[in-house]
Each structure stands twice: as C-alpha cells, then as structure tokens.
Amino acid sequence: MGDPNVLEMVQEEERRASREERFFEVNEDLNSRESSFLISEEPRFKKDEQSKDSIFFRDGIRQIDFVLSYVDDIKKEAELKAERRKEFEQNLRKTGLELEIEDKMNSEDGKTYFVKIHAPWEVLVTYAEVLGIKMPIKESDIPRADKTPFSCMLGPLKLPRNVKHPHAEYFTAQFTRHRQELFLIEDESSFFPSSSRNRIVYYILSRCPFGIEDGKKRFGIERLLNSHTYSSAFPLHDGQYWKPSEPPNPVNERYTLCQNWARFSYFYKEQPFNLIRDYYGEKIGIYFVFLGFYTEMLLFAAIVGLACFIYGLLSMHDNSSSTEICDPEIGGQIIMCPLCDVMCDYWRLNSTCWASKFSHLFDNESTVFFAIFMGIWVTLFLEFWKQRQARLEYEWDLVDFEEEQQQLQLRPEFEAMCTHRKVNAVTKEVEPYLPLCSRIPWYFLSGATVTLWMSLVIACMVAVIVYRLSVFATFASFMESEASLKHVRSFLTPQITTSLTGSCLNFIVILILNFFYERISAWITKMEIPRTHQEYESSLTLKMFLFQFVNFYSSCFYVAFFKGKFVGYPGKYTYLFNVWRSEECDPGGCLVELTTQLTIIMTGKQVFGNIKEAIYPLVLNWWRRRKARTNSEKLYSRWEQDHDLETFGSLGLFYEYLETVIQFGFVTLFVASFPLAPLLALLNNIIEIRVDAWKLTTQYRRPVAAKAHSIGVWQDILYGMAVLSVATNAFIVAFTSDMIPRLVYYYAYSKNAIQPMKGYVNNSLSIFLIADFPNHTVPSEKRDFTTCRYRDYRNPPDHEEKYFHNMQYWHVLAAKMTFIIIMECV
C-alpha cells in the first residue's frame, strides 16, 4: 500500500492531465468540421434594422456569449498584431466557436472593431464535461426551509419569492455529453445559463493558441490583451439595467438585480444571493454572502456598543473623577507641571474638566464588559461563518469543488521568462521551469521593497509625532494669550487641538502612501514571476495586507501602547532625538486620544472609499461616452454600451475583501476604546453593499463567472486578527484605560467607606518640587507655589527615595497583568 497522500496527489494530477487531453481531443474532433458561420459578405449592416439592445448575432438566433474589441494600430507592430488576431480567430473557429465581426464603420466612435463570439450546443456540451459543470437531472422534492419562527415579523425584509429563488431547485450531476438523456434539457438555447456559457468561452479563449514566437507556442487571450493586440474581452450583460428586455431577448437578470438589489431604498432588504450567483458566478456571490453575514453579525455588536455608550452618557455627571477635576475647590486648587519646556506654563487641573467628562463616555465600567463581549463576538462570528460557508457549499453544489483550472494554469508571464524545461515527477510531462537561482534576486528585492515601505510608514508616523510635539507649545501659548479663545478653551484644550490636527494629518499621509504602494506592490509581485494565478494573488495579498496593516494601524498602536508610557517625570523627562520632550497623556489617560484617532481614520477611510467607489467609475464611463460622441447609452449597440463601461478586473474582488478586512481590524483590534466602532461599520456596510451592487450592475462590464467555495486566504487573516484583537483589547483596558488604577484604589487604597472613589484624583497624581527643575526647562516667570503635580505613582520629594516608583505603582502593574492573563484565558 502506498502513502495515501501521494496517491491522492497522483490522482489529482491525473485528473488535471485528463482535462488537458480532453481539451486537445475536442480541438481534433471539432477541427474536421467547418464553422457554421463565416464572416458575412453582405452589404454593411444597418444598425437601425436591429434592436439596439440585442444580444444576438445579426440572424437574431445565435446568442452573443463573449465580445472582443480592437482598434487599428498604426505603429510598426500593426502587422504582427493583425497576424496574431487572424491566427487566434482561426483557431477559435477550429474549436467550434462561431464569430461575427462588426466593422469599425459600424461603431459609434468609428475606430473600434468588435468580434462577437457564440458557443454552439456542441461546444457547450463538450466543455461543460471538461470543466465538470454540474447540471440538473431531476427537480428537487425537498421543500425549502424559508419559514422561520420570526417569518411574520421579518416579512418587510424579505424579497419576492421569484427574486430570492429565480429558479427551481434541482438534483444535479456533472454533465456528460454521452448521457444527455439523463439531464433535464427542455431547450438547448437556455439549458446552460449565461454565466456558464461565458465561463466556457473564456476557458477556450484562455487556452487558444495564436502562433509560435521565438520558438515558443503562444496562447491565451490574456497575453493578447497585455500586448494590446485586443483592447478588451468581456461577456455581455443581459440587457439595459433601467428596463426589462423585450422578446426575443431572454429574461433580463441585470434589470432584476438593479431593481431588487442595487437600489439604496432597499437597504433594509435581504440580498438575492441565488440570483447574484446565477448572474455573476459563485466567486462574486460568496463575497456578497460574506459581506451580508458580517453586516448581520455587526448588528449585535452595534447594539451592545451603543448601550455601553449610552451608559457612559447617562453616568457622565455622576462620575466622581470628573466631578473632582471640575470642582474649583479640588481640581481648581491642583497645580499641574508644565506640559512642555520653557514655553508652557503651569496649569490648573480643572482646565481639563470637559475632556475628563468626555473621557468617561468611553472609559467607564462598561469598557471592560464590552472588551470581553467583543472577544466572544469575534470568536462566534468566525465559527458561525464556517457553518454558513459549509451550508453554502451544499446549497450551491460546491462540496466536491476543485480549484478553478484558470487559477492553476501557468501565467503567460511565467512561461515567457522560462528558458528551461523540466519533467514533472508526477505527470511525467515536460513543463516550463524557472530555477530558484533566477528567482532569489527578485524575492530579495520584493522583501526589501515591502520592508522599505513599512519603514516609510513608521517614519511618517514619527514625523507626525514630531509635528505634534513641535506645535503643542505653539497651541498652548497662543490659546493662553488669545482673549477671543477664552470661551472655547474649556473644551478645546491644546492637547485636544494637537490630537485632532495630528490625526487629520496622519489620515492624509495614510491615503497618499496607500495610493503609491498599491501600484508598487503590483509591480514587484509581477517581478517575482509567480507560477500560477493563484500564487500571484496569494503573494499580492500578503504584501498588500502587511502594508495596509502597518499603514492604518501603526498610529493607533502608538497612541494605545506607547504614548505617555515612557515620559519619565519632571526634571528627568525623556526626549525624542534629544530635542522634543515625549508626549504625555491627559490626566484622564490616553483613551480619548485613541478614540479620536480611531474615529478620524476609520470614518475618513470609509467615507473616502465609498465616494471613490461610486464616483470614479461614473466619471470614467461618462468620459468614455463623451469621447464616443454621445452622452446617452440609448443611442448605440449592446456591445458598445458594455465596452464603454469600466472593467472590474481580476483583482476587483481582492480590493473589496481587503477593504472589509481592514475595517474588521478597526472593529476588533481597538474596539475597547471606541464602542461605537461596530455601529459605524454597520452603517458603512449597509451603504457599501448597495454601492457595490450598484457599480457592479450599472457601471462595470460583466465579469467572467468563476467558481469558489470559500473566501480563501482571507479567512486565515481574519482568524489571525481575531486572536490579536483579544490581546490588544486586554492591553487597552489594562494600560490605556484608567479602569484598573481605579479598581485598585477602590479595593486597596480608599479610606472612605461611604464614597470609595473620593480622593482618587489626588491619589493618582504625584508631587514634584519646582526647585528640582533643571534651569533650561522651567518657565521663566516666578511663582508663589513650590510644588506641582504630575500623573504617575512616585514617591514625594521629602521621601528618602524621592521620585522612585512607590508600592502602589507595582500593585497597579500587577493588577494590569492579572487582568490581561484572565481575559486571554476567558
């Protein structure tokens, strides 16, 4: 008996090899027959004799499954490109596909040729077997489980039954052309849905040869698109999105999707997942299932987060800490040490009255509860998603799904760079081979580039910190001297002003770095020469996620875990580059600033992203129509309308997943500091679903249908972020929030049995003797007081170990570490 893993691998390779053999067998079978259609020799086609919305050939019978376009090239490569197109189209006809060419004189711009492609029945049944497409053999007699205990209450959220389930459910089997009588074939023209038809045609296009160049056989539509031999290749939409199709066109599923899915007024409705899957394929369908499920789960987190925020709002005036800070007899009598050298003056604690009240909104007893709740929520979310995904695999016939052939197919760029050939140890076939020594330099360059850009992010963050340090003193002296700012000084303190401007500047830097890195990461991934499309996507995913993780979260990590932690104490402060004094937190802690940072970056990214996603394709499509001498889609043919739309691209879903995962990080990693984050994410996703649906239905060409049985590598990334989020929230509650020091004071140091928290503010501030200030840091003006206070647990000046940490500091630190361990275990 051999190793089962080896046997399984051999069987898999044999299946793939079998598919390769069948592809070329099909070519030989169909090579003997002439295409049933040749380029028409009739007089030039008059467009007004056919419906502008027709998706058929000129005979009105054969459906257009795919469209290629090109323009005449006047450069020196024009003849080479023309020869490639001629050879490619001849080979397409040999596979059995039927072609019809629209002359450039028929196009609206007078420059573009269109090649319309139709797959006849013989081609469809042959390649359906090659691709292992499952087709219906019998109508299912298992009733749909649409009824739930809350069906009557959820009625307004439901879609009409014919939209939610556009087709009857069937038992299916992999199609075989030799047993067609087993399948429910009522009408050959409609047996294969349009998504399966364009998937089959694209499979042929991606493998069809177009000649031999440099002694190598060249093939595939992607290579022709990269060399600009063709300008575009796309399947047609069913019809116009603003009106249903007229006979003889089939049912316009695009119009149905636009009416029931892409409308913002339907934001509260469920999504027609089966219709999305039928029209766009499983890969896009599963993205919208994931986004919808994630949004539904956010509802529970948003409700709990909103309840915690309301609790903080209602208990704001009863908070003993802010009451003591605002009291003129307590906070008004506490003199605080200067927040910067020389230019900053001594200040009274009650000047931060408003900030202390605002801090209580997010730093209260409910913070600990919400942090623990979100740790449980993120675990349940991922477990429930696994169940939902498994159920989806069953419902969509993906249980025995094999990776899409196109994903495992060799990339043309890889083949072009390969000068060696090697025998595959399993299949015994000669394959292109690139030695490791040829790849190593590019791997080093790739790693160095990613490291350099992440270092650049850190450098930009340090630059923003330097900005905050350098302008803080300016803000402080200006706001102190300007009489007109007297009324806003109580809530717009120098700390808050610096934090707001610094956060906005940081967000702008994030967007700029992101813009450039997206292009560099795509280039450097190509330079690595990945072997397959799957390897290319995995490599790009790793680079983009690592960079965006550092880019979006580094400033939040700084505020949460570094700011105010290594300040030192008066007379012995730490300095950045020996010039700027390290930033201090507000007397109430750094949580308010973390909340501000998170709110600006998260909200700004979501608003900017939605505006960009909606406006960018709209403007590009308007400009294309304008260049085509018309501003209305109603004036030209179906294929020209789609040609003037934006391309979704092979990485379109990649960026959608990346955006969702980054948002997931904001919702989970720092949610203890901002309980409204799930609510903001929920509102954004409700809009995001409809924006994505609208742009996909109205502003983009129809993507080629592709299969997928999961969200792929993104699931592993989500698991990693979930584990990290438990640690980050535990550390935020322990080290950024003021909750643990308050609890230690309540149980160990309070001497007032009736009001246990009374005196906490005074207890949390240490005393410093002004005479101990170095001469170069102390304010120049003389004062009538001898001490000032600062936030720390240190011995007073009259102690034999003055300014060393006292015992309470170690008690608080032990309590913080204990809390982290307990929360991690829970």
Side-chain angles (χ1 to χ4, degrees), residues 512-762:
I512 294 172
L513 289 174
N514 210 44
F515 174 81
F516 287 107
Y517 183 78
E518 280 186 7
R519 284 143 185 80
I520 290 174
S521 62
W523 174 78
I524 202 68
T525 304
K526 287 180 180 178
M527 292 300 99
E528 290 177 5
I529 322 173
R531 188 171 184 271
T532 64
H533 294 284
Q534 190 177 51
E535 287 181 14
Y536 176 83
E537 284 191 16
S538 298
S539 180
L540 184 63
T541 299
L542 180 63
K543 291 183 185 63
M544 284 297 297
F545 175 74
L546 281 177
F547 175 79
Q548 295 222 1
F549 185 91
V550 175
N551 196 22
F552 281 103
Y553 302 142
S554 58
S555 58
C556 293
F557 272 100
Y558 163 72
V559 175
F561 305 123
F562 296 99
K563 184 180 176 181
K565 306 299 187 292
F566 310 102
V567 176
Y569 60 90
K572 198 175 181 180
Y573 286 114
T574 57
Y575 288 82
L576 184 64
F577 306 128
N578 292 320
V579 178
W580 294 282
R581 205 174 94 185
S582 297
E583 287 187 285
E584 292 185 53
C585 291
D586 187 88
C590 276
L591 201 70
V592 172
E593 187 168 341
L594 179 58
T595 303
T596 305
Q597 187 90 6
L598 188 65
T599 305
I600 289 175
I601 295 177
M602 180 181 177
T603 307
K605 181 186 183 302
Q606 293 183 161
V607 171
F608 177 80
N610 280 327
I611 291 175
K612 178 187 171 186
E613 286 187 18
I615 292 179
Y616 178 72
L618 196 65
V619 171
L620 282 181
N621 294 339
W622 169 81
W623 179 249
R624 284 197 188 95
R625 287 194 293 269
R626 190 171 182 272
K627 284 171 65 179
R629 304 197 303 268
T630 178
N631 289 317
S632 172
E633 289 189 358
K634 299 175 183 177
L635 299 180
Y636 54 138
S637 62
R638 172 83 258 128
W639 47 90
E640 288 178 283
Q641 293 175 39
D642 284 10
H643 178 262
D644 287 346
L645 296 178
E646 184 66 6
T647 305
F648 189 65
S650 59
L651 295 176
L653 270 188
F654 167 81
Y655 288 110
E656 296 295 343
Y657 275 119
L658 182 62
E659 181 183 0
T660 305
V661 168
I662 293 297
Q663 185 208 77
F664 181 81
F666 282 122
V667 169
T668 55
L669 293 177
F670 307 101
V671 74
S673 67
F674 189 39
L676 292 181
L679 179 62
L680 291 180
L682 173 67
L683 296 175
N684 173 80
N685 285 3
I686 290 172
I687 298 171
E688 174 80 15
I689 289 172
R690 304 303 161 178
V691 168
D692 286 348
W694 171 80
K695 71 180 185 183
L696 204 58
T697 309
T698 68
Q699 301 302 312
Y700 281 91
R701 295 174 187 163
R702 185 176 182 177
V704 178
K707 293 179 80 70
H709 70 297
S710 70
I711 60 175
V713 70
W714 298 108
Q715 189 152 328
D716 298 326
I717 292 174
L718 290 174
Y719 271 105
M721 296 184 76
V723 173
L724 182 60
S725 70
V726 177
T728 55
N729 283 299
F731 273 88
I732 286 172
V733 172
F735 287 96
T736 311
S737 163
D738 205 33
M739 181 55 59
I740 302 300
R742 288 202 294 259
L743 289 173
V744 171
Y745 178 80
Y746 182 93
Y747 288 107
Y749 289 89
S750 176
K751 297 177 182 178
N752 192 325
I754 300 173
Q755 294 179 303
M757 292 305 295
K758 188 173 183 180
Y760 167 72
V761 172
N762 184 62

Side-chain angles (χ1 to χ4, degrees), residues 178-218:
H178 301 298
R179 301 297 301 274
Q180 293 184 29
E181 68 278 1
L182 299 178
F183 296 88
L184 297 178
I185 306 175
E186 297 177 359
D187 181 4
E188 291 184 355
S189 63
S190 61
F191 178 67
F192 290 99
S194 58
S195 58
S196 296
R197 295 176 72 100
N198 72 57
R199 183 178 159 219
I200 288 171
V201 173
Y202 182 74
Y203 180 84
I204 297 172
L205 290 173
S206 65
R207 306 172 72 81
C208 183
F210 58 83
I212 297 175
E213 297 175 9
D214 300 327
K216 299 178 184 177
K217 188 176 182 181
R218 305 295 185 181

Side-chain angles (χ1 to χ4, degrees), residues 53 63 79 117 161 214 267 273 438 522 532 600:
D53 205 34
Q63 183 176 332
E79 292 185 7
I117 301 174
R161 188 176 179 84
D214 300 327
F267 71 91
F273 294 127
S438 302
T532 64
I600 289 175

Side-chain angles (χ1 to χ4, degrees), residues 79-297:
E79 292 185 7
L80 175 62
K81 291 179 179 179
E83 184 62 33
R84 285 173 178 170
R85 285 192 293 267
K86 180 181 177 182
E87 182 74 17
F88 187 69
E89 289 166 17
Q90 284 179 352
N91 288 329
L92 288 179
R93 289 192 179 93
K94 289 177 182 177
T95 65
L97 294 178
E98 298 174 0
L99 276 60
E100 182 176 80
I101 298 177
E102 288 290 341
D103 191 83
K104 65 180 179 180
M105 300 304 295
N106 289 333
S107 63
E108 194 70 23
D109 62 5
K111 296 184 294 184
T112 307
Y113 293 87
F114 291 94
V115 181
K116 299 175 286 184
I117 301 174
H118 167 75
W121 176 255
E122 294 84 357
V123 172
L124 292 174
V125 297
T126 301
Y127 285 96
E129 182 177 357
V130 171
L131 289 171
I133 295 177
K134 292 185 176 182
M135 299 305 294
I137 55 174
K138 179 183 179 184
E139 187 167 350
S140 174
D141 53 3
I142 302 174
R144 286 194 174 102
D146 286 346
K147 298 270 185 184
T148 64
F150 302 101
S151 291
C152 55
M153 296 172 59
L154 300 177
L157 308 181
K158 298 291 184 181
L159 289 169
R161 188 176 179 84
N162 65 319
V163 175
K164 186 178 179 181
H165 303 294
H167 306 291
E169 286 192 343
Y170 297 94
F171 295 114
T172 62
Q174 286 194 2
F175 188 81
T176 172
R177 54 181 170 163
H178 301 298
R179 301 297 301 274
Q180 293 184 29
E181 68 278 1
L182 299 178
F183 296 88
L184 297 178
I185 306 175
E186 297 177 359
D187 181 4
E188 291 184 355
S189 63
S190 61
F191 178 67
F192 290 99
S194 58
S195 58
S196 296
R197 295 176 72 100
N198 72 57
R199 183 178 159 219
I200 288 171
V201 173
Y202 182 74
Y203 180 84
I204 297 172
L205 290 173
S206 65
R207 306 172 72 81
C208 183
F210 58 83
I212 297 175
E213 297 175 9
D214 300 327
K216 299 178 184 177
K217 188 176 182 181
R218 305 295 185 181
F219 62 90
I221 186 63
E222 292 299 327
R223 189 188 292 275
L224 293 173
L225 291 172
N226 291 337
S227 64
H228 305 290
T229 305
Y230 288 101
S231 56
S232 63
F234 54 92
L236 280 184
H237 279 294
D238 281 356
Q240 293 167 332
Y241 63 83
W242 63 81
K243 68 175 185 179
S245 295
E246 299 175 359
N249 288 338
V251 175
N252 187 353
E253 292 183 340
R254 184 190 188 192
Y255 170 76
T256 307
L257 284 169
C258 191
Q259 291 296 306
N260 296 277
W261 181 46
R263 292 170 61 185
F264 291 95
S265 58
Y266 273 40
F267 71 91
Y268 60 94
K269 294 276 191 181
E270 63 182 338
Q271 297 183 74
F273 294 127
N274 289 324
L275 190 58
I276 297 168
R277 173 237 185 170
D278 291 343
Y279 193 72
Y280 291 112
E282 287 82 357
K283 194 170 186 177
I284 289 178
I286 204 166
Y287 162 73
F288 282 101
V289 174
F290 170 74
L291 186 59
F293 180 81
Y294 170 49
T295 304
E296 290 171 9
M297 289 293 290

